Amino acid sequence: MNKFKRTEILIGKQNFQKIQKTRILILGLGGVGGTALEALARIGFSDFVLADFDKIEETNLNRQILTLENNIGKSKVEIAKQRVLAINPTAKVEIFEGFVDEKNIENFLPVDIVVDAIDSVRAKVKILTYLYHKNIKVVSSMGAGFRKDPRFIK
């Protein structure tokens, strides 16, 4: 695929073929998850499972890459899927509009990598524990929405 030629040049043909076969689960499509998705799609990853329970809000405009004036009120997973397919129409994108926690995380497997970009600390800890025991690779961000005082980070 010519659009990803620079990625292939940078990482080599064999590594590029690996990323095209990598299945990624992204939990949360806000500021971190949406930006991670955009970057991964533009690099050439093309097999995604996207999960978020939320709709796009006007307050997301200043901080979330998926948010535009014309998609306020729409499902984050639907908009994210459209965005990936606009970048790479041959990508495979499965979506789940709902909350992911320890009770349903196994419904999204198998995957090769999980991007954890959820804000719920309780769900995050349980999901990370589950993924650790299943030996699944995770990139995790520590949500700080509405938290302003770093003295309370433990």
Side-chain angles (χ1 to χ4, degrees), residues 18-77:
K18 282 183 192 175
I19 70 169
Q20 288 196 303
K21 294 176 185 171
T22 300
R23 185 169 169 83
I24 301 174
L25 169 60
I26 300 182
L27 302 173
L29 293 165
V32 174
T35 302
L37 173 63
E38 175 99 3
L40 292 167
R42 290 187 181 279
I43 289 168
F45 286 90
S46 59
D47 190 354
F48 296 99
V49 180
L50 309 177
D52 198 304
F53 66 91
D54 214 355
K55 302 235 182 287
I56 292 179
E57 299 176 6
E58 185 176 23
T59 60
N60 302 148
L61 275 165
N62 72 326
R63 59 196 168 78
Q64 295 184 11
I65 199 165
L66 296 174
T67 304
L68 302 170
E69 285 282 345
N70 66 345
N71 61 25
I72 292 171
K74 295 180 182 173
S75 160
K76 284 186 180 180
V77 291

Side-chain angles (χ1 to χ4, degrees), residues 92-152:
K92 181 178 168 190
V93 185
E94 294 177 32
I95 59 173
F96 173 73
E97 189 168 0
F99 193 77
V100 178
D101 59 19
E102 74 280 3
K103 295 175 189 132
N104 63 0
I105 183 69
E106 68 184 29
N107 297 338
F108 305 97
L109 305 180
V111 295
D112 301 298
I113 300 171
V114 176
V115 174
D116 159 38
I118 61 174
D119 291 329
S120 170
V121 175
R122 179 179 160 81
K124 179 183 293 289
V125 169
K126 292 190 181 247
I127 288 169
L128 291 175
T129 301
Y130 176 87
L131 296 171
Y132 173 79
H133 289 295
K134 293 289 184 182
N135 201 29
I136 297 172
K137 297 173 189 166
V138 180
V139 176
S140 184
S141 69
M142 301 301 121
F146 301 107
R147 294 172 188 94
K148 297 183 276 186
D149 194 336
R151 295 175 297 162
F152 294 104

Side-chain angles (χ1 to χ4, degrees), residues 77-97:
V77 291
E78 290 288 346
I79 295 301
K81 180 177 182 175
Q82 290 172 18
R83 184 122 176 164
V84 169
L85 294 175
I87 294 166
N88 180 3
T90 64
K92 181 178 168 190
V93 185
E94 294 177 32
I95 59 173
F96 173 73
E97 189 168 0

